[in-house]
Amino acid sequence: MKLNTNSNAYIIIYSAILVVIVAFLLAFVYQALKPMQDANVALDVKKQILYSLNIRGLDGQEAEAKYAEVVKEENELNGQKIYECQIDGQEIRVAFLKGMGLWGGISGYIAIDKAGKVYGAYFNHESETAGLGAEIKDSQEWQEKFIGKQIYDENGNVILSVVKKIEKAESQVDCVTGATLTSNGVDAMLKEGLKNVKPTKAEED
């Protein structure tokens, strides 16, 4: 019996078989690549933490080794990731922050020294505008403006802020030029994400 390749039944069955085969192949490829993807994501997180500690330019095994050297402990505080680090004899605490920018989520890591000042900072984003809001990630120069800024006042309130006009140089950083709303998002993220984080673990115990 000769198949009628022009019939609706044949076309439907043929299409269904193709869909099943393609779906199987995609699932197989996803499962095969997932360990590699997970490893890349984990490495990227470690590199971002190192960036916040002013350690840049390392890839692959170098970054893995440096992370293992300086990050001594990983904890959660009220659902927030905290990393206890040691660099050149200094105890540095890194806090993971999460917030909203103009077009989507933003995140960051703030490294805090024992005096409650910023040791280093790194910010990331999901979909901010290239050349404007995306500068929170792309501009190392802007991230370095946070270094040495005071995070808390004498009562433990967060005073570190991102502003359009600096009035208190010891605790304020300039907005990204042309990206006021994204900068406001970073400011809100700092205020919310750092309010329950102390400079050292000992102060919380």
Side-chain angles (χ1 to χ4, degrees):
M1 180 178 175
K2 187 177 180 180
L3 288 175
N4 181 5
T5 57
N6 293 319
S7 69
N8 290 336
Y10 176 86
I11 293 171
I12 292 171
I13 293 171
Y14 181 79
S15 299
I17 293 172
L18 277 181
V19 168
V20 170
I21 292 173
V22 171
F24 173 80
L25 289 174
L26 288 175
F28 175 79
V29 171
Y30 172 78
Q31 289 298 325
L33 294 179
K34 192 172 188 306
M36 185 183 299
Q37 292 172 341
D38 291 344
N40 287 337
V41 169
L43 177 60
D44 186 58
V45 168
K46 291 177 181 179
K47 288 168 68 176
Q48 290 184 40
I49 293 167
L50 291 175
Y51 293 160
S52 76
L53 294 166
N54 305 315
I55 301 171
R56 298 174 183 258
L58 302 181
D59 287 310
Q61 293 183 344
E62 284 185 320
E64 292 277 8
K66 194 64 177 179
Y67 182 88
E69 175 189 334
V70 302
V71 179
K72 304 301 182 182
E73 192 176 340
E74 300 177 15
N75 298 309
E76 276 200 17
L77 177 65
N78 300 320
Q80 185 175 2
K81 288 281 189 180
I82 303 290
Y83 303 84
E84 310 295 344
C85 308
Q86 193 167 54
I87 298 181
D88 298 329
Q90 293 187 72
E91 291 181 17
I92 305 294
R93 168 171 269 198
V94 176
F96 173 65
L97 313 177
K98 200 167 185 179
M100 284 296 297
L102 175 60
W103 302 113
I106 57 175
S107 59
Y109 291 92
I110 296 291
I112 309 166
D113 67 18
K114 293 184 72 173
K117 293 184 177 182
V118 178
Y119 182 85
Y122 178 77
F123 300 101
N124 204 347
H125 68 90
E126 295 176 4
S127 54
E128 298 306 294
T129 307
L132 297 174
E135 290 297 289
I136 66 170
K137 174 185 177 182
D138 299 335
S139 175
Q140 181 179 339
E141 181 182 356
W142 188 74
Q143 294 169 9
E144 290 177 345
K145 289 181 179 181
F146 286 82
I147 297 174
K149 299 295 184 180
Q150 192 70 42
I151 300 175
Y152 309 99
D153 65 14
E154 62 275 9
N155 297 316
N157 300 310
V158 178
I159 57 174
L160 178 64
S161 57
V162 179
V163 297
K164 289 185 71 172
K165 183 179 180 181
I166 290 181
E167 296 178 352
K168 299 179 180 178
E170 70 277 5
S171 61
Q172 295 178 336
V173 174
D174 274 321
C175 282
V176 175
T177 303
T180 301
L181 294 179
T182 302
S183 299
N184 289 345
V186 174
D187 182 67
M189 179 175 69
L190 293 170
K191 298 272 194 308
E192 181 63 26
L194 293 172
K195 67 181 182 181
N196 295 318
V197 180
K198 303 300 181 185
T200 65
K201 184 179 179 181
E203 295 185 37
E204 293 174 345
D205 295 337

Short mmCIF file of all heavy atoms in Angstrom, two decimals, residues 39-53 55 58 60 63-68 70-71 74 83 109:
data_model
loop_
_atom_site.label_atom_id
_atom_site.label_comp_id
_atom_site.label_asym_id
_atom_site.label_seq_id
_atom_site.Cartn_x
_atom_site.Cartn_y
_atom_site.Cartn_z
N ALA A 39 29.02 24.45 36.37
CA ALA A 39 30.39 24.78 36.76
C ALA A 39 30.76 26.19 36.34
O ALA A 39 31.42 26.93 37.09
CB ALA A 39 31.36 23.76 36.16
N ASN A 40 30.33 26.60 35.14
CA ASN A 40 30.62 27.95 34.65
C ASN A 40 29.91 29.01 35.49
O ASN A 40 30.47 30.07 35.77
CB ASN A 40 30.22 28.08 33.19
CG ASN A 40 31.16 27.35 32.25
OD1 ASN A 40 32.31 27.10 32.59
ND2 ASN A 40 30.67 26.98 31.08
N VAL A 41 28.66 28.73 35.88
CA VAL A 41 27.91 29.66 36.73
C VAL A 41 28.59 29.80 38.08
O VAL A 41 28.75 30.91 38.60
CB VAL A 41 26.45 29.18 36.91
CG1 VAL A 41 25.74 30.00 37.99
CG2 VAL A 41 25.69 29.29 35.59
N ALA A 42 29.00 28.67 38.67
CA ALA A 42 29.67 28.70 39.97
C ALA A 42 30.99 29.47 39.89
O ALA A 42 31.32 30.25 40.79
CB ALA A 42 29.92 27.27 40.46
N LEU A 43 31.73 29.27 38.81
CA LEU A 43 32.99 29.99 38.63
C LEU A 43 32.75 31.48 38.47
O LEU A 43 33.49 32.31 39.02
CB LEU A 43 33.74 29.45 37.42
CG LEU A 43 35.06 30.16 37.05
CD1 LEU A 43 36.05 30.08 38.19
CD2 LEU A 43 35.65 29.57 35.78
N ASP A 44 31.69 31.86 37.75
CA ASP A 44 31.37 33.27 37.55
C ASP A 44 31.05 33.95 38.88
O ASP A 44 31.47 35.08 39.13
CB ASP A 44 30.19 33.42 36.59
CG ASP A 44 29.92 34.87 36.25
OD1 ASP A 44 30.83 35.55 35.73
OD2 ASP A 44 28.79 35.34 36.50
N VAL A 45 30.31 33.25 39.75
CA VAL A 45 30.00 33.79 41.07
C VAL A 45 31.29 34.01 41.87
O VAL A 45 31.47 35.06 42.50
CB VAL A 45 29.06 32.84 41.84
CG1 VAL A 45 28.96 33.24 43.31
CG2 VAL A 45 27.67 32.85 41.21
N LYS A 46 32.18 33.04 41.84
CA LYS A 46 33.44 33.16 42.56
C LYS A 46 34.26 34.34 42.04
O LYS A 46 34.87 35.08 42.82
CB LYS A 46 34.23 31.87 42.45
CG LYS A 46 33.60 30.71 43.21
CD LYS A 46 34.37 29.41 43.02
CE LYS A 46 33.70 28.27 43.78
NZ LYS A 46 34.42 26.98 43.59
N LYS A 47 34.27 34.53 40.73
CA LYS A 47 35.01 35.64 40.14
C LYS A 47 34.41 36.97 40.55
O LYS A 47 35.14 37.95 40.80
CB LYS A 47 35.05 35.50 38.62
CG LYS A 47 35.96 34.37 38.14
CD LYS A 47 35.78 34.05 36.67
CE LYS A 47 36.24 35.14 35.76
NZ LYS A 47 36.14 34.76 34.33
N GLN A 48 33.07 37.06 40.64
CA GLN A 48 32.43 38.30 41.07
C GLN A 48 32.81 38.62 42.52
O GLN A 48 33.05 39.78 42.86
CB GLN A 48 30.92 38.18 40.94
CG GLN A 48 30.43 38.17 39.50
CD GLN A 48 28.92 38.16 39.40
OE1 GLN A 48 28.23 38.85 40.15
NE2 GLN A 48 28.39 37.39 38.46
N ILE A 49 32.87 37.60 43.36
CA ILE A 49 33.27 37.81 44.75
C ILE A 49 34.73 38.28 44.80
O ILE A 49 35.07 39.20 45.56
CB ILE A 49 33.08 36.52 45.57
CG1 ILE A 49 31.58 36.20 45.68
CG2 ILE A 49 33.69 36.65 46.97
CD1 ILE A 49 31.27 34.81 46.18
N LEU A 50 35.58 37.68 43.99
CA LEU A 50 36.98 38.13 43.92
C LEU A 50 37.07 39.56 43.42
O LEU A 50 37.89 40.35 43.91
CB LEU A 50 37.79 37.19 43.01
CG LEU A 50 38.03 35.77 43.53
CD1 LEU A 50 38.74 34.94 42.47
CD2 LEU A 50 38.83 35.78 44.82
N TYR A 51 36.24 39.92 42.44
CA TYR A 51 36.22 41.31 41.96
C TYR A 51 35.94 42.27 43.10
O TYR A 51 36.54 43.35 43.19
CB TYR A 51 35.16 41.50 40.88
CG TYR A 51 35.39 40.77 39.58
CD1 TYR A 51 34.35 40.52 38.70
CD2 TYR A 51 36.66 40.31 39.22
CE1 TYR A 51 34.54 39.85 37.50
CE2 TYR A 51 36.87 39.63 38.03
CZ TYR A 51 35.80 39.40 37.17
OH TYR A 51 36.01 38.72 36.00
N SER A 52 34.97 41.89 43.96
CA SER A 52 34.62 42.77 45.09
C SER A 52 35.77 42.89 46.09
O SER A 52 35.80 43.82 46.89
CB SER A 52 33.35 42.27 45.79
OG SER A 52 33.63 41.14 46.60
N LEU A 53 36.70 41.93 46.03
CA LEU A 53 37.88 41.96 46.89
C LEU A 53 39.08 42.58 46.15
O LEU A 53 40.22 42.45 46.59
CB LEU A 53 38.23 40.54 47.35
CG LEU A 53 37.19 39.88 48.28
CD1 LEU A 53 37.45 38.39 48.38
CD2 LEU A 53 37.20 40.54 49.65
N ILE A 55 40.36 41.70 43.35
CA ILE A 55 41.19 40.68 42.71
C ILE A 55 40.58 40.41 41.35
O ILE A 55 39.52 39.78 41.24
CB ILE A 55 41.25 39.40 43.54
CG1 ILE A 55 41.81 39.69 44.94
CG2 ILE A 55 42.11 38.34 42.84
CD1 ILE A 55 41.71 38.53 45.90
N LEU A 58 41.78 37.02 36.81
CA LEU A 58 42.03 35.59 36.96
C LEU A 58 40.93 34.79 36.27
O LEU A 58 39.76 35.16 36.32
CB LEU A 58 42.09 35.20 38.44
CG LEU A 58 43.13 35.91 39.31
CD1 LEU A 58 43.05 35.40 40.74
CD2 LEU A 58 44.52 35.72 38.75
N GLY A 60 39.51 30.58 35.22
CA GLY A 60 39.64 29.14 35.39
C GLY A 60 40.25 28.72 36.70
O GLY A 60 39.82 29.14 37.77
N ALA A 63 41.41 31.43 39.26
CA ALA A 63 40.32 32.02 40.04
C ALA A 63 39.84 31.04 41.11
O ALA A 63 39.58 31.44 42.26
CB ALA A 63 39.16 32.41 39.12
N GLU A 64 39.71 29.77 40.75
CA GLU A 64 39.29 28.75 41.72
C GLU A 64 40.28 28.69 42.88
O GLU A 64 39.89 28.64 44.06
CB GLU A 64 39.20 27.39 41.05
CG GLU A 64 38.09 27.24 40.01
CD GLU A 64 36.73 26.90 40.62
OE1 GLU A 64 36.63 26.92 41.87
OE2 GLU A 64 35.81 26.64 39.85
N ALA A 65 41.57 28.69 42.57
CA ALA A 65 42.59 28.58 43.60
C ALA A 65 42.60 29.81 44.51
O ALA A 65 42.72 29.69 45.74
CB ALA A 65 43.96 28.39 42.96
N LYS A 66 42.47 31.00 43.92
CA LYS A 66 42.48 32.23 44.71
C LYS A 66 41.26 32.30 45.60
O LYS A 66 41.35 32.74 46.76
CB LYS A 66 42.54 33.44 43.77
CG LYS A 66 42.89 34.74 44.49
CD LYS A 66 44.29 34.68 45.08
CE LYS A 66 44.70 35.98 45.74
NZ LYS A 66 46.05 35.92 46.32
N TYR A 67 40.12 31.88 45.06
CA TYR A 67 38.89 31.88 45.87
C TYR A 67 39.05 30.96 47.07
O TYR A 67 38.70 31.33 48.20
CB TYR A 67 37.72 31.41 45.00
CG TYR A 67 36.39 31.41 45.72
CD1 TYR A 67 35.59 32.56 45.73
CD2 TYR A 67 35.93 30.28 46.39
CE1 TYR A 67 34.37 32.57 46.39
CE2 TYR A 67 34.71 30.29 47.05
CZ TYR A 67 33.93 31.43 47.06
OH TYR A 67 32.73 31.43 47.72
N ALA A 68 39.59 29.77 46.85
CA ALA A 68 39.80 28.82 47.96
C ALA A 68 40.78 29.37 48.99
O ALA A 68 40.67 29.08 50.18
CB ALA A 68 40.31 27.49 47.40
N VAL A 70 41.30 32.75 49.75
CA VAL A 70 40.86 33.94 50.50
C VAL A 70 39.49 33.79 51.16
O VAL A 70 39.22 34.44 52.18
CB VAL A 70 40.87 35.20 49.62
CG1 VAL A 70 42.26 35.45 49.06
CG2 VAL A 70 39.86 35.11 48.49
N VAL A 71 38.61 32.97 50.59
CA VAL A 71 37.26 32.80 51.18
C VAL A 71 37.31 31.64 52.17
O VAL A 71 37.48 30.48 51.78
CB VAL A 71 36.21 32.55 50.10
CG1 VAL A 71 34.84 32.35 50.74
CG2 VAL A 71 36.16 33.70 49.11
N GLU A 74 31.45 30.33 54.06
CA GLU A 74 30.25 30.83 53.39
C GLU A 74 29.05 30.59 54.31
O GLU A 74 28.84 29.48 54.78
CB GLU A 74 30.03 30.10 52.06
CG GLU A 74 31.18 30.26 51.07
CD GLU A 74 30.95 29.48 49.79
OE1 GLU A 74 29.79 29.05 49.56
OE2 GLU A 74 31.91 29.28 49.04
N TYR A 83 30.10 36.01 52.94
CA TYR A 83 31.36 35.30 52.75
C TYR A 83 32.42 35.91 53.67
O TYR A 83 32.67 37.11 53.62
CB TYR A 83 31.82 35.40 51.29
CG TYR A 83 30.80 34.87 50.31
CD1 TYR A 83 29.75 35.69 49.87
CD2 TYR A 83 30.85 33.56 49.85
CE1 TYR A 83 28.80 35.20 48.98
CE2 TYR A 83 29.90 33.07 48.97
CZ TYR A 83 28.88 33.90 48.53
OH TYR A 83 27.92 33.41 47.67
N TYR A 109 28.16 42.61 45.05
CA TYR A 109 28.90 42.13 46.21
C TYR A 109 29.65 43.31 46.80
O TYR A 109 30.36 44.03 46.09
CB TYR A 109 29.89 41.03 45.81
CG TYR A 109 29.23 39.75 45.38
CD1 TYR A 109 28.94 39.51 44.04
CD2 TYR A 109 28.90 38.77 46.31
CE1 TYR A 109 28.34 38.32 43.64
CE2 TYR A 109 28.29 37.58 45.92
CZ TYR A 109 28.01 37.37 44.58
OH TYR A 109 27.40 36.19 44.19
#
